[in-house]
């Protein structure tokens, strides 16, 4: 058995590449990505990265805003840990050449919902793409980093997969499907970092890319890691409503720079009826619920987001990517309002990690959107996510390097067994199940929930689970099948967590338990 790498990283987004770059000073690192290296959410991020850089702002302000948005479910130690490291993260990104917008010598700071100060560092309205490019460039130039796109990890390798069985539960890498050859290979490593992103595609309407199917969350669960707060799925208030373009985000910074939300027929600025003080800059859960309420109350298809009262030059300068996209669809945002609806946007819950990014499982660290670190609580504050990826990517690398000498050498690992499967002759089952899950998750487990609807979703998931496992046990794996299995697993975790929470808090709003408990408690699911 040859092991060519020291550390395996699953995911080439902000979390995975930050960890890779920090590890590569001392270790040989393999980064695997499903599809292309730029296929995760990182490349799609618009608004920016939150960091206290202005002299009039303080860490305490940022901590308070994060915990107000998170409805008190955040872990204060984690919040401080991340926020205090934000300025250093921005410095490192500047060193990597990320061309952040500037006002003379200072970084330009924009504003987003839930933030009491201007503190969002950004590259126009396409921050994620600039960050992804800079990280990739640095990783490509590093001889200790090998990046393999087109590899869909199927499952983590654990002690159960060792030639000599051990019940230890240690993680030794992952089995991955090579998308080109159709072969599954074992990628064995002494340390594995899971940075596989969120599970947004579990919902019919989502701003997330196609690959956000909760693979990391599902793989960690199957390997034996606990999950927390999976019911906290964030809905972004303003996704473009368009019959052809389904998941284009209109950044929160449009509201931050003065955009108003209006009833499309009366022109009423309806946030005055829901949160008169913070209006459009209330945290996301509040704004998304207000829009959902307007849509349901008045039978609307969408509401309007209007920034046309600002000078056209200002709008074009701040939002060039959005302006270009909308122009292509015949909408001139400098002159007319934009039709918007809420859509799933971010997975706040996930694999439980400590401040060292270590999971429950020896040999497995995790960072980024697939985790629950305690930062976001019941609702993520805008632009705190990329920041979490940088801080936890670094934390994982630091902990692995510190513990390296005590990490055991991998045992002999069994190869992938395909002796009992054949090629699928019924791909239609995958498409059907995928569509079904996403539709009932949207209708039954969306912005406003009830126990009855959650139980309906649970029943359907039970039925589909049996079908999917039968299918998985009979046919050779494909990326679509792997994703369906994970999407289903993520949906189960969301529904089970939602049924466990008997209160409304942050993103979890249920008509059966509308009050908020005095004490905030995490929902923890144990495999
Ligand atoms: P991702 O960037 O999603 O990367 C996941 C990686 O895992 C990918 O490389 C993928 O290929 C790989 N992967 C997944 N499954 C497998 C598998 N089975 N096998 C192998 N590899 C796998 N946050 C902010 O802070 N500021 C913003 O302005 C902002 N804007 C956003 C705009 C949009 C439209 C979206 C969707 C999100 C936005 N977010 C923003 C959230 C933020 O972009 C994400 O939370 C963050 O980028 C997640 O990074 P990550 O490294 O955890 O995962
Ligand atoms: C946005 O630009 O509105 C997204 C910011 C975020 O998700 O943090």
């Amino acid at each position: 058995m040859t092991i060519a790498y020291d550390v395996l990283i699953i995911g080439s987004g902000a979390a995975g590449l930050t960890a890779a770059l920090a590890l590569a000073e001392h270790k040989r690192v393999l980064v695997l990505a499903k599809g292309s290296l730029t296929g995760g959410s990182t490349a799609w991020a618009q608004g920016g990265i939150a960091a206290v850089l202005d002299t009039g702002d303080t860490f305490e302000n940022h901590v308070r805003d994060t915990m107000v948005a998170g409805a008190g479910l955040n872990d204060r130690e984690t919040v401080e840990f991340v926020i205090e490291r934000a300025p250093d993260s921005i410095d490192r990104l500047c060193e990597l050449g990320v061309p952040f917008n500037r006002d003379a010598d200072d970084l330009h700071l924009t504003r987003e919902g839930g933030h009491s100060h201007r503190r969002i560092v950004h590259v126009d309205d396409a921050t994620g793409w600039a960050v992804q490019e800079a990280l990739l460039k640095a990783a490509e130039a590093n001889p200790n980093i090998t990046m393999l796109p087109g590899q869909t990890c199927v499952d983590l390798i654990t002690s159960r997969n060792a030639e000599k069985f051990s019940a230890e539960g240690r993680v030794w890498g992952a089995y991955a499907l090579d998308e080109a050859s159709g072969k599954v290979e074992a990628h064995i490593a002494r340390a594995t970092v899971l940075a596989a992103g969120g599970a947004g595609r579990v919902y019919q309407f989502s701003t997330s890319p196609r690959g956000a199917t909760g693979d990391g969350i599902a793989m960690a669960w199957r390997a034996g890691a606990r999950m927390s707060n999976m019911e906290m799925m964030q809905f972004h208030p303003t996704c473009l409503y368009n019959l052809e373009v389904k998941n284009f985000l209109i950044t929160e910074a449009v509201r931050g720079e003065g955009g108003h939300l209006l009833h499309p027929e009366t022109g009423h600025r309806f946030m005055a009826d829901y949160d008169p003080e913070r209006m459009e800059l209330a945290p996301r859960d509040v704004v998304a619920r207000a829009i959902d309420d307007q849509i349901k109350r008045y039978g609307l298809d969408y509401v309007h987001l209007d920034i046309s009262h600002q000078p056209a030059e200002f709008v074009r300068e701040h939002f060039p990517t959005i302006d270009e996209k909308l122009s292509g669809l015949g909408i001139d945002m400098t002159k007319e309002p934009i039709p918007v609806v809420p859509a799933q946007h971010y997975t706040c819950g996930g694999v439980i990690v400590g401040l060292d990014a270590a999971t429950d499982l020896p040999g497995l660290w995790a960072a980024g959107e697939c985790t629950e670190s305690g930062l976001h609580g019941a609702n993520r504050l805008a632009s705190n996510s990329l920041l979490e990826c940088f801080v936890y990517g670094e934390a994982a690398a630091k902990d692995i390097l510190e513990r390296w000498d005590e990490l055991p050498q991998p045992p002999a690992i069994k190869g992938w067994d395909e002796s009992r499967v054949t090629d699928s002759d019924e791909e239609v089952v995958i498409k059907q199940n995928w569509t079904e899950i996403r539709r009932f998750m949207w209708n039954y487990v969306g912005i406003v929930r009830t126990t009855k609807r959650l139980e309906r979703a649970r029943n359907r998931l039970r039925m589909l689970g049996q079908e999917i496992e039968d299918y998985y046990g009979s046919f050779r794996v494909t990326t679509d099948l792997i994703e369906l299995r994970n999407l289903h697993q993520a949906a189960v975790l969301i529904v089970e967590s939602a049924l466990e929470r008997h209160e409304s808090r942050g993103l979890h709003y249920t008509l059966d338990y509308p009050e908020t408990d005095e004490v905030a408690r995490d929902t923890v699911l144990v495999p």
Side-chain angles (χ1 to χ4, degrees):
M1 183 180 61
T2 53
I3 298 164
Y5 304 97
D6 300 313
V7 183
L8 172 68
I9 297 183
I10 304 174
S12 58
L17 291 184
T18 301
L21 289 167
L23 282 160
E25 284 176 33
H26 308 275
K27 300 290 164 208
R28 294 155 309 159
V29 182
L30 174 64
V31 179
L32 299 181
K34 183 166 71 170
S36 89
L37 292 170
T38 55
S41 294
T42 297
W44 291 28
Q46 290 187 354
I49 305 160
V52 172
L53 297 173
D54 185 65
T55 44
D57 197 4
T58 62
F59 287 145
E60 186 48 37
N61 288 337
H62 192 177
V63 168
R64 195 181 330 107
D65 293 346
T66 300
M67 298 198 57
V68 168
L73 194 63
N74 327 60
D75 175 64
R76 191 175 171 102
E77 196 188 357
T78 306
V79 177
E80 287 172 0
F81 176 77
V82 174
I83 282 167
E84 287 169 12
R85 282 159 179 75
D88 283 350
S89 295
I90 301 298
D91 281 350
R92 271 192 291 279
L93 292 168
C94 289
E95 281 161 23
L96 290 179
V98 178
F100 290 118
N101 288 42
R102 289 182 177 269
D103 270 339
D105 284 345
D106 295 331
L107 293 173
H108 178 263
L109 303 174
T110 189
R111 190 164 173 194
E112 292 181 336
H115 287 275
S116 56
H117 286 74
R118 284 187 170 266
R119 63 167 79 97
I120 316 297
V121 180
H122 64 110
V123 181
D124 295 333
D125 54 353
T127 310
W129 185 253
V131 166
Q132 179 80 69
E133 265 194 324
L135 290 171
L136 273 179
K137 201 167 150 215
E140 271 158 6
N142 193 313
N144 269 349
I145 300 178
T146 303
M147 292 187 285
L148 285 185
Q151 305 292 318
T152 306
C153 292
V154 189
D155 259 320
L156 294 170
I157 297 172
T158 67
S159 313
R160 290 188 295 244
N161 306 111
E163 292 283 1
K164 204 163 149 230
F165 180 85
S166 129
E168 186 198 13
R170 180 172 284 275
V171 172
W172 300 110
Y175 291 109
L177 168 74
D178 181 283
E179 293 159 20
S181 70
K183 293 263 172 289
V184 177
E185 305 236 357
H187 296 275
I188 302 161
R190 254 161 97 169
T192 301
V193 181
L194 197 56
R201 282 295 176 133
V202 109
Y203 285 94
Q204 186 178 6
F205 302 106
S206 169
T207 62
S208 307
R210 165 75 175 68
T213 49
D215 298 8
I217 290 167
M219 287 192 284
W221 173 258
R222 287 193 293 267
R226 287 173 309 150
M227 300 290 143
S228 183
N229 298 340
M230 282 298 294
E231 71 278 29
M232 300 302 177
M233 291 302 269
Q234 182 170 73
F235 292 80
H236 196 291
T238 59
C239 180
L240 176 68
Y241 174 83
N242 186 277
L243 296 180
E244 281 155 39
V245 179
K246 297 279 187 224
N247 59 350
F248 186 69
L249 181 76
I250 309 294
T251 177
E252 185 134 357
V254 171
R255 281 176 284 130
E257 296 297 345
H260 296 163
L261 285 165
L262 308 175
H263 187 289
E265 285 148 20
T266 63
H268 174 53
R269 201 174 156 196
F270 58 81
M271 279 311 296
D273 308 334
Y274 300 90
D275 198 320
E277 220 168 277
R278 296 176 294 184
M279 298 290 283
E280 284 85 358
L281 289 181
R284 273 181 197 167
D285 57 331
V286 177
V287 182
R289 261 197 306 278
I291 297 176
D292 185 63
D293 185 51
Q294 290 283 304
I295 287 176
K296 290 195 172 124
R297 190 182 293 255
Y298 298 107
L300 306 172
D301 288 329
Y302 53 80
V303 297
H304 274 157
L305 172 60
D306 190 12
I307 194 166
S308 63
H309 48 276
Q310 295 281 31
E313 239 354 87
F314 172 90
V315 173
R316 283 198 200 101
E317 196 189 311
H318 276 76
F319 307 110
T321 316
I322 296 175
D323 179 46
E324 194 186 322
K325 182 83 176 179
L326 294 180
S327 295
L329 297 167
I331 302 167
D332 182 349
M333 72 186 287
T334 68
K335 295 205 177 86
E336 60 189 315
I338 309 163
V340 292
V341 285
Q344 189 287 337
H345 182 62
Y346 184 81
T347 312
C348 292
V351 186
I352 297 177
V353 289
L355 292 180
D356 50 9
T359 70
D360 290 341
L361 305 176
L364 183 69
W365 286 256
E369 194 170 335
C370 62
T371 68
E372 205 286 312
S373 65
L375 174 65
H376 308 307
N379 179 29
R380 174 176 69 94
L381 182 66
S383 289
N384 266 357
S385 168
L386 286 171
L387 174 59
E388 183 189 40
C389 293
F390 305 129
V391 172
Y392 274 84
E394 291 271 348
K398 182 167 175 279
D399 196 53
I400 291 169
L401 294 174
E402 279 171 11
R403 294 206 222 168
W404 189 256
D405 290 340
E406 60 196 63
L407 297 179
Q409 285 290 347
I413 297 293
K414 289 182 197 157
W416 185 252
D417 181 9
E418 285 201 328
S419 58
R420 279 168 297 177
V421 292
T422 58
D423 283 330
S424 155
D425 57 358
E426 265 196 297
E427 292 285 329
V428 66
V429 174
I430 296 179
K431 198 166 172 210
Q432 166 62 30
N433 287 351
W434 175 289
T435 313
E436 211 174 317
I437 293 174
R438 296 186 67 210
R439 192 166 292 159
F440 69 67
M441 286 299 287
W442 181 259
N443 288 327
Y444 295 163
V445 197
I447 297 175
V448 177
R449 300 167 178 175
T450 66
T451 304
K452 206 165 165 187
R453 284 188 219 148
L454 290 174
E455 280 169 351
R456 283 202 178 115
R458 173 194 264 170
N459 290 340
R460 278 167 174 71
L461 284 166
R462 280 197 181 137
M463 247 166 45
L464 289 175
Q466 190 58 50
E467 213 168 274
I468 292 166
E469 277 314 304
D470 285 352
Y471 199 91
Y472 180 78
S474 311
F475 298 113
R476 268 192 196 96
V477 290
T478 60
T479 295
D480 283 349
L481 175 54
I482 294 165
E483 289 183 333
L484 172 65
R485 182 175 179 235
N486 293 332
L487 197 80
H488 174 270
Q489 183 60 71
V492 169
L493 294 169
I494 295 164
V495 170
E496 292 307 323
S497 287
L499 279 164
E500 289 225 346
R501 189 172 286 284
H502 293 176
E503 62 162 350
S504 289
R505 181 183 297 274
L507 297 162
H508 178 71
Y509 184 77
T510 162
L511 297 177
D512 291 300
Y513 302 100
E515 306 299 328
T516 304
D517 290 348
E518 257 175 50
V519 181
R521 283 187 200 85
D522 289 324
T523 311
V524 176
L525 297 182
V526 182

